[in-house]
Amino acid sequence: RKMLARPDIVAFGTISSVAGECVVSPSTVVRVANALGFDTFRELKCFFQQHLRSISGAPRPTISKTRASAATH
């Protein structure tokens, strides 16, 4: 439940930090990822990152835009 309520803890966390937030063991975090159809925690983490990007509405920065912005500031 906590992972769904706070997707940021998965998207930006480690197995250990997610386990701590959810008050479970790190192996439970991996088992949950596997039960949801992911081969690794990293895949689950990427899925959560993509989800946060999609709901944020913010475009992903590109290298050329980032360089241009840095050059003007």
Side-chain angles (χ1 to χ4, degrees), residues 19-35:
E21 287 282 338
C22 296
V23 194
V24 297
S25 69
S27 61
T28 297
V29 173
V30 174
R31 284 195 298 268
V32 167
N34 294 152

Side-chain angles (χ1 to χ4, degrees), residues 32-53:
V32 167
N34 294 152
L36 293 172
F38 298 97
D39 290 330
T40 64
F41 174 75
R42 180 179 289 275
E43 287 180 3
L44 176 68
K45 183 175 176 155
C46 289
F47 179 83
F48 272 76
Q49 288 172 351
Q50 290 173 351
H51 169 69
L52 289 178
R53 280 188 204 109

